[in-house]
Amino acid sequence: MYDELSEADIQKMKEEIEHRKVVVRKEALAAVKEAREQGDLSENFEYQAAKREKNRNESRIRYLERMVKTAKVIKDHSKDDEVGLNNTVTVYFEDEDEEETGDEMKLTSIQSITDFMTCAGRTLPDNIRLWARRNLAVARSHEVSQEERRHAQRALSIMMNIQWKHNYFESIDPKEARRILDEELYGMERVKQRIIETIIQINRTHTLPAYGLLLVGPAGTGKSQIAYAVARILKLPWTTLDMSSINDPEQLTGSSRIYANAKPGIIMEAFSAAGESNLVFIINELDKAASGKGNGNPADVLLTLLDNLGFTDNYMECMVPTVGVYPIATANDKSQISAPLMSRFAVIDIPDYTSEEKKIIFSKYVLPKVLKRMSLKTEECVVTEEGLNAIVELHKNTSGIRDLEQAAEHIAANALYQIEVDHLTGVTFNAEMVRELLS
């Protein structure tokens, strides 16, 4: 079925597409770039927020382009006393205080959901369409409690505002994928090669691989950064699940509607936030998944999500398709991960950095980022070769580069202090100064 739209509606959509591509996309990319320069992406909330806004903009562009491409254009012949296209109509419903206009994009009221089901219900997966009809009947019924009607309407609003896509993925440029990996990561050639192999597989089949990625390595080696880079390459919205903070399966599966304070689980809320069914689930600290302290094991819930056979949320009471979900998990110790969970992933071991790699990362990546963030020029904060050796020596027993990032922050802050307070033009840190400052 096609949506019937007037020429004026089509023109408004085209103008919004142009604005989002030229203005909003540029602002979103600038925000992502600025946030990325602030340091470790796994704990960079500004970066995550910027990425979400960028993904929402791209999703909106794709939605509008599809509407413009598939809409049936009709003429507007409405008279003053008739309701026609482009008229704003205020509609009042019994037991509803909200008023709705034609400009509202979210499907929240019973009437807007009913109209959507009438016009575009066939675009939904069969089981979701049947589920929607049943819940719509509950939401309209006066034979059930007000609480049941409220839960049914909320569940419908969540489900109808998700774009349920087919599991078809456009080809991805391997060269562009490699550029993104080189931009985000230094070295790790075997890791990059494995990711490029996955990209080529997607290009051949136009579907996601049967197995997600499990990145295993010491803390601070950039596992989360790799996961975010893969999501960026796939051009999909992403969400994170921190398994160390989830101690009850109900946090993932939601609570039953029999409770007054019932709500969907984290997984369903991720679909809702993304606005589409194709997304990347970044599961941090998978090795903590088996340490649930509530009424069950959160790892069991993950198995149903990772099987790509569909996921059922207790609040929604409907199985949603997961064929467009690509899981990327991180872990420090794979021996703590159960065999069933391990079997759902292609494992990539992330090695720790060597001393020479840490020197290059500090001098070419970490320190320049910190200086830029503090508005310091390169010549205002200089670390000699001996000073660089001293930094690496002080952190030789720590894995990853987080300690190096903190060392760079400390050194740059000290240089800025001396420039502002002692009125120096620049500070050069030798080995002795580094040891005195960081020890």
Side-chain angles (χ1 to χ4, degrees):
M1 294 186 65
Y2 294 92
D3 291 293
E4 295 184 346
L5 299 172
S6 71
E7 294 178 351
D9 286 329
I10 296 293
Q11 184 59 35
K12 285 181 181 179
M13 288 184 176
K14 288 181 177 179
E15 290 173 358
E16 183 177 347
I17 291 171
E18 182 68 17
H19 175 72
R20 287 183 174 276
K21 284 186 174 181
V22 176
V23 179
V24 181
R25 179 182 282 172
K26 183 178 180 180
E27 292 174 349
L29 289 172
V32 170
K33 182 179 179 182
E34 181 180 352
R36 188 187 298 123
E37 292 171 351
Q38 295 181 11
D40 181 14
L41 299 186
S42 63
E43 300 177 358
N44 189 333
F45 298 107
E46 290 80 3
Y47 175 78
Q48 296 176 17
K51 286 290 291 184
R52 280 194 293 270
E53 289 303 318
K54 175 179 173 295
N55 289 333
R56 288 193 186 101
N57 183 57
E58 296 302 322
S59 296
R60 178 65 176 164
I61 290 173
R62 291 194 296 270
Y63 169 76
L64 291 171
E65 287 178 336
R66 189 178 71 254
M67 289 289 289
V68 170
K69 183 178 179 180
T70 61
K72 178 181 178 182
V73 181
I74 61 176
K75 301 293 184 180
D76 181 12
H77 299 297
S78 62
K79 300 177 181 179
D80 292 340
D81 58 347
E82 296 178 350
V83 175
L85 289 172
N86 296 319
N87 296 149
T88 298
V89 182
T90 302
V91 185
Y92 295 94
F93 298 95
E94 186 179 355
D95 297 329
E96 290 190 22
D97 296 325
E98 299 85 6
E99 73 174 34
E100 179 176 82
T101 67
D103 292 331
E104 289 293 328
M105 298 306 298
K106 284 281 188 181
L107 302 173
T108 55
S109 74
I110 296 298
Q111 185 61 37
S112 64
I113 293 171
T114 302
D115 292 342
F116 176 82
M117 288 294 298
T118 302
C119 298
R122 293 183 182 273
T123 65
L124 297 171
D126 291 342
N127 70 309
I128 293 180
R129 184 170 66 253
L130 294 173
W131 170 90
R133 288 174 180 171
R134 290 196 299 269
N135 277 267
L136 200 52
V138 173
R140 288 168 166 170
S141 175
H142 290 284
E143 297 179 2
V144 300
S145 67
Q146 183 179 356
E147 198 69 31
E148 288 178 274
R149 294 199 300 271
R150 182 179 66 82
H151 283 315
Q153 183 172 344
R154 181 183 180 187
L156 280 165
S157 178
I158 292 171
M159 194 75 84
M160 295 302 102
N161 283 290
I162 298 173
Q163 186 180 356
W164 299 101
K165 294 187 172 183
H166 295 291
N167 184 30
Y168 180 89
F169 290 85
E170 299 290 345
S171 295
I172 301 167
D173 183 1
K175 293 183 179 178
E176 175 64 11
R178 176 70 194 208
R179 185 194 66 78
I180 292 173
L181 291 173
D182 289 339
E183 179 182 300
E184 297 286 354
L185 307 165
Y186 172 76
M188 297 190 179
E189 290 303 319
R190 291 180 61 185
V191 176
K192 292 176 181 177
Q193 175 68 23
R194 183 68 182 84
I195 293 172
I196 295 298
E197 289 172 1
T198 301
I199 299 303
I200 294 174
Q201 179 183 341
I202 293 173
N203 289 348
R204 174 61 67 92
T205 63
H206 294 289
T207 59
L208 291 175
Y211 301 96
L213 296 178
L214 172 57
L215 309 172
V216 181
T221 50
K223 298 184 296 297
S224 296
Q225 199 164 346
I226 295 171
Y228 297 133
V230 174
R232 182 180 167 194
I233 291 169
L234 295 177
K235 298 179 181 178
L236 290 176
W238 52 268
T239 188
T240 57
L241 298 176
D242 188 354
M243 298 310 299
S244 64
S245 64
I246 296 174
N247 53 32
D248 193 318
E250 195 173 274
Q251 292 176 256
L252 297 174
T253 60
S255 48
S256 173
R257 296 188 203 175
I258 63 174
Y259 303 109
N261 60 345
K263 63 178 182 178
I266 294 174
I267 293 175
M268 197 65 215
E269 287 180 342
F271 281 112
S272 178
E276 62 177 86
S277 58
N278 294 351
L279 72 161
V280 174
F281 268 93
I282 300 175
I283 308 172
N284 288 320
E285 299 188 275
L286 185 64
D287 44 345
K288 308 293 194 305
S291 58
K293 301 174 184 177
N295 300 319
N297 191 339
D300 296 336
V301 178
L302 291 180
L303 290 175
T304 62
L305 176 68
L306 299 173
D307 277 335
N308 280 340
L309 299 177
F311 174 80
T312 302
D313 184 276
N314 292 333
Y315 182 85
M316 304 302 292
E317 300 176 349
C318 176
M319 186 182 73
V320 298
T322 56
V323 290
V325 172
Y326 191 56
I328 305 177
T330 68
N332 300 130
D333 184 5
K334 61 184 177 183
S335 66
Q336 299 298 316
I337 302 174
S338 66
L341 266 182
M342 284 283 289
S343 66
R344 267 71 173 182
F345 291 97
V347 181
I348 299 179
D349 290 306
I350 310 295
D352 197 4
Y353 296 104
T354 65
S355 296
E356 288 302 316
E357 287 175 332
K358 287 183 177 181
K359 289 180 185 178
I360 296 173
I361 291 171
F362 183 90
S363 58
K364 292 188 176 181
Y365 295 89
V366 176
L367 186 59
K369 281 186 178 181
V370 173
L371 295 181
K372 184 176 181 180
R373 189 163 66 247
M374 292 188 179
S375 299
L376 282 168
K377 298 177 181 179
T378 305
E379 60 271 17
E380 290 180 319
C381 180
V382 178
V383 179
T384 66
E385 184 67 24
E386 293 76 16
L388 184 58
N389 291 334
I391 293 171
V392 174
E393 178 66 22
L394 287 170
H395 300 96
K396 65 180 180 180
N397 295 323
T398 59
S399 61
I401 60 171
R402 286 178 184 164
D403 288 330
L404 295 182
E405 292 173 345
Q406 294 176 11
E409 291 272 359
H410 198 170
I411 289 171
N414 185 266
L416 182 60
Y417 173 84
Q418 294 189 56
I419 290 170
E420 294 295 327
V421 176
D422 299 334
H423 306 292
L424 301 179
T425 57
V427 182
T428 300
F429 292 88
N430 56 31
E432 183 180 353
M433 294 173 65
V434 166
R435 292 191 186 94
E436 183 179 350
L437 184 64
L438 301 180
S439 295

